[in-house]
Amino acid sequence: NYHLSYPIKMKLITAALLAGSAAAFAPAMNKPSSTALNMAFESELGAQPPFGFYDPLNLLEGADQERFDRLRYVELKHGRIAQLAFLGQIVTRAGIHLPGSVNLAGDSFDSFPDGAAALFGPDAIPKEGLGQIILFIGLLELFVMKDVTGDAEFKGDFRNGALDFGWDTFGPETKLRKRGIELNNGRAAMMGILGLMMHEQIDGNPVIGLFLEYN
């Protein structure tokens, strides 16, 4: 069953990432939309060289402001998740794991495989552990990672008056530049984590093989 279910699960995850990254190159919009929506998007945040305005799947065809804001929100969220996932891959494959035991049986964190194999497959963490991870993510989604106060400056602004890191001290140009950096890093991370997941399916598991030596 493993040889059948594991590849299917990986294909589903890959498809989800591709769907999330499809809107990754759609620019931000801060002004009311007009009848020439695509023309309005071409000069906004995210439309930059070498592609400029890039919407190969026509997700913004006939889109209004609400549709665009939804796509931008999804892009930011997926980009942030992908950055954490990519960093997690690099850290764990470098041999850095949390100390202590992962369960009551005394199994250490480093006793489980890295990457997607830690979640799916014969050597994966117990299903109860996977359930806890899903529950934790669900709680973050419902109660934390959202605009709770209604004071967000833009879609994806989850500071909620608690986290700032000096954002309010930046000028408009600096804020725009930093938002662009986050978009680009998220886009790169989505493609990066997708590449790592695909390489996990190749015999020999040559993930980051140019930098780390595998047994």
Side-chain angles (χ1 to χ4, degrees):
N1 291 334
Y2 161 67
H3 293 290
L4 175 64
S5 61
Y6 181 57
I8 292 176
K9 290 177 180 177
M10 291 304 301
K11 289 178 181 178
L12 290 174
I13 295 173
T14 301
L17 279 172
L18 283 172
S21 62
F25 302 100
M29 174 103 173
N30 296 320
K31 301 177 182 179
S33 58
S34 65
T35 55
L37 291 170
N38 285 358
M39 293 296 293
F41 293 143
E42 287 179 358
S43 61
E44 296 295 337
L45 178 68
Q48 57 195 40
F51 294 107
F53 176 75
Y54 188 68
D55 183 23
L57 299 182
N58 295 320
L59 296 177
L60 294 175
E61 185 70 27
D64 56 11
Q65 182 67 52
E66 183 179 358
R67 168 67 172 169
F68 180 87
D69 288 343
R70 173 60 183 171
L71 290 175
R72 174 43 47 90
Y73 175 78
V74 171
E75 177 187 15
L76 279 170
K77 179 185 292 185
H78 286 188
R80 290 166 177 172
I81 294 172
Q83 289 178 74
L84 290 173
F86 190 86
L87 181 61
Q89 280 267 13
I90 294 176
V91 170
T92 54
R93 292 187 183 281
I96 303 174
H97 299 84
L98 292 173
S101 302
V102 70
N103 55 25
L104 296 178
D107 297 319
S108 62
F109 283 91
D110 59 3
S111 64
F112 293 94
D114 301 319
L119 301 178
F120 311 110
D123 299 319
I125 62 176
K127 60 182 180 180
E128 293 82 5
L130 179 59
Q132 291 177 39
I133 294 175
I134 295 175
L135 176 62
F136 177 68
I137 293 174
L139 292 175
L140 289 178
E141 177 76 11
L142 291 174
F143 302 109
V144 180
M145 305 307 294
K146 59 189 298 184
D147 179 20
V148 179
T149 63
D151 297 328
E153 288 187 22
F154 53 88
K155 290 296 180 180
D157 179 7
F158 300 150
R159 290 176 295 156
N160 293 315
L163 300 175
D164 186 76
F165 300 110
W167 180 260
D168 288 334
T169 65
F170 300 142
E173 291 186 3
T174 301
K175 287 184 177 181
L176 198 64
R177 180 176 62 84
K178 289 184 175 295
R179 289 177 60 194
I181 291 173
E182 180 183 22
L183 277 175
N184 285 334
N185 287 349
R187 292 166 176 175
M190 282 189 276
M191 302 306 295
I193 191 61
L194 178 62
L196 293 180
M197 292 170 62
M198 295 298 292
H199 272 270
E200 279 196 65
Q201 303 309 301
I202 301 175
D203 290 340
N205 189 26
V207 179
I208 324 180
L210 294 176
F211 306 102
L212 299 177
E213 181 179 352
Y214 290 88
N215 294 323

